[in-house]
Amino acid sequence: MKFSKLAAAAAFVCITASAAMAAETVKMGVYLPITGGNAVGGQLELDGVKLAHQQYPTVNGKKIELVIVDNKSDKVEAANAVKRLVEKDKVCAIIGTYGSSLAMAGGEVAEKAHVPMVGTSCTNPLVTQGKKYVFRVCFIDPFQGAGAAGYARKDLKAKTAAMLIEVTEDYSVGLGNFFKQNFTKNGGKIVSVLNYQKGDQDFTAQLTEIISKKPDVLYIPANFAEGAIIMRQARELGGKFAILGGDAMDNPEMVKIGGKSVEGFSYTTFAYSPNMAEKLMSPIQKQFTAQWRKANPKKDPAALTGCGYDAYLLIYNAIKKTKSADPEKITAAIASTKNMPGVTGTTTINKTHDAEKSVGIIRIQNGKQVFHTIVDPK
């Protein structure tokens, strides 16, 4: 009997201690593709989230606990990941994700649960459309498409363009449409629009037809792996046109896969690069670059790494401002964010919960990703 009372007392102490420990911890969820087709991009963003967590591990005197779940580059898994974070882990806010389709799937769950979610690099407008609890730290595709079209017309002097679209991916279809709208609106002509499907490795049929149309520029809103293969095959077939892509190409692996074929390639991305001119760098960009290089001396950070870092900062600042882990209060604070300094530029959350910020242009020169310029296509 005495033993039972002792055990009960010990259990009570343990439960009380656990509750006290939980009260001193703020749980922040992260769902990103760590495996599957989008794993490289997801890992780059997770690196940024972890780096921000290292720098800002506590808020309002409480430890921030990161709860990381792999969405496996799959829409169903993305929805399940957010459900787990909300129902099992009881997080107060969620970071994620790379991949607009994955963000749409996860965002539906977060919205129903009334838990704020901050997208990293999910640029499709549908991610936040009609949502109260879903936000993002990246620009949206209409803005990126306009920037790419403006760059093609003004900097590349392109009068005609061809497009090669991954028809099974919302990101590629959406960004391609916005490029087309703005390129033609500015006097350009689209001479060919062809499609492929995720996982395709042979693009010779499409490229042969495109080459026959003699466009000034080929626009490929592809992911980095398939985009690199497209460029390699285009050059092998004799394509001389300029090639332009979107932010999903912002990955060092693209240069390794494409080799010399990617030389001269340009793409729109978030307005950060570790090798951008120092006069263009903000204090937080300099701080982030130095912090990254200290931890990872053998590789440069990508703009996607900055997206993960900025998503963490947006939630962190909201919790700090409200002095609360209440999802409703955090949601309101995120929605009111204005001019937040970040790695990928200054973030202002607008009425549609999208980030208003400039677009960067990076060009491959001598096998390296070189920050070229900033465009602001308003």
Side-chain angles (χ1 to χ4, degrees):
M1 196 69 179
K2 287 183 179 179
F3 178 79
S4 297
K5 286 182 178 180
L6 222 68
F12 177 77
V13 170
C14 287
I15 292 170
T16 305
S18 296
M21 188 177 295
E24 293 305 311
T25 301
V26 175
K27 285 189 175 183
M28 191 184 299
V30 182
Y31 81 115
L32 288 167
I34 311 304
T35 57
N38 293 323
V40 176
Q43 186 60 57
L44 288 172
E45 293 184 352
L46 182 58
D47 289 342
V49 173
K50 288 181 175 179
L51 198 63
H53 183 241
Q54 289 173 16
Q55 186 167 359
Y56 304 100
T58 62
V59 61
N60 301 325
K62 295 183 178 182
K63 179 183 177 182
I64 298 175
E65 178 186 350
L66 287 181
V67 184
I68 302 167
V69 182
D70 179 10
N71 66 40
K72 301 178 183 179
S73 304
D74 180 83
K75 295 178 185 179
V76 174
E77 291 288 349
N80 289 338
V82 174
K83 187 175 181 180
R84 173 193 154 173
L85 290 171
V86 169
E87 296 180 358
K88 180 185 175 183
D89 299 303
K90 309 294 184 185
V91 300
C92 66
I94 300 169
I95 295 172
T97 175
Y98 178 96
S100 292
S101 296
L102 304 176
M104 287 181 218
E108 292 293 337
V109 180
E111 186 72 12
K112 290 177 182 176
H114 293 192
V115 174
M117 184 186 101
V118 176
T120 42
S121 62
C122 39
T123 53
N124 191 292
L126 295 176
V127 171
T128 56
Q129 190 174 83
K131 300 290 192 299
K132 177 183 177 182
Y133 297 91
V134 181
F135 306 84
R136 68 181 116 209
V137 291
C138 57
F139 48 62
I140 58 176
D141 285 335
F143 202 67
Q144 180 178 193
Y151 178 76
R153 291 285 289 134
K154 296 175 184 176
D155 292 65
L156 299 180
K157 310 298 182 186
K159 296 180 180 179
T160 59
M163 299 166 55
L164 188 50
I165 308 297
E166 185 191 322
V167 73
T168 54
E169 177 58 57
D170 295 327
Y171 164 83
S172 186
V173 173
L175 187 52
N177 284 335
F178 294 122
F179 173 85
K180 181 179 179 180
Q181 290 171 15
N182 285 277
F183 189 77
T184 55
K185 184 174 70 176
N186 292 325
K189 181 181 179 182
I190 302 295
V191 295
S192 180
V193 179
L194 297 176
N195 300 325
Y196 66 94
Q197 295 191 0
K198 191 176 185 68
D200 285 355
Q201 297 288 302
D202 185 358
F203 306 94
T204 54
Q206 297 98 318
L207 290 169
T208 298
E209 182 174 338
I210 287 170
I211 289 171
S212 73
K213 301 293 183 180
K214 299 181 179 179
D216 296 322
V217 63
L218 170 62
Y219 186 59
I220 51 169
N223 70 44
F224 72 95
E226 288 161 349
I229 296 171
I230 290 170
M231 286 188 279
R232 190 175 68 224
Q233 293 180 4
R235 298 314 184 202
E236 288 172 351
L237 290 168
K240 303 297 184 183
F241 38 69
I243 305 179
L244 179 62
D247 62 286
M249 297 294 289
D250 189 23
N251 194 305
E253 294 297 316
M254 176 260 295
V255 180
K256 293 181 182 179
I257 297 170
K260 293 181 180 179
S261 300
V262 306
E263 189 68 21
F265 170 66
S266 300
Y267 61 91
T268 51
T269 188
F270 311 104
Y272 166 77
S273 170
N275 57 31
M276 64 196 299
E278 188 170 345
K279 64 181 180 180
L280 295 177
M281 271 198 176
S282 67
I284 193 170
Q285 289 173 325
K286 292 177 182 178
Q287 171 189 303
F288 168 81
T289 305
Q291 186 183 6
W292 173 270
R293 284 181 167 155
K294 183 178 179 180
N296 306 277
K298 293 185 178 181
K299 64 176 182 178
D300 282 340
L304 289 175
T305 314
C307 289
Y309 192 99
D310 288 350
Y312 182 97
L313 278 188
L314 187 61
I315 295 173
Y316 171 86
N317 287 336
I319 296 171
K320 185 177 181 180
K321 178 181 178 181
T322 60
K323 294 182 172 59
S324 171
D326 178 1
E328 293 290 348
K329 292 181 180 179
I330 295 171
T331 299
I334 293 174
S336 65
T337 299
K338 304 293 180 188
N339 301 316
M340 183 196 85
V343 177
T344 59
T346 301
T347 297
T348 291
I349 300 297
N350 62 21
K351 292 181 180 179
T352 55
H353 290 188
D354 305 315
E356 296 182 352
K357 53 179 48 173
S358 298
V359 177
I361 300 288
I362 289 182
R363 182 182 292 168
I364 307 302
Q365 295 178 349
N366 299 318
K368 295 183 178 181
Q369 296 162 290
V370 179
F371 194 88
H372 181 56
T373 188
I374 293 176
V375 294
D376 194 15
K378 289 183 177 179

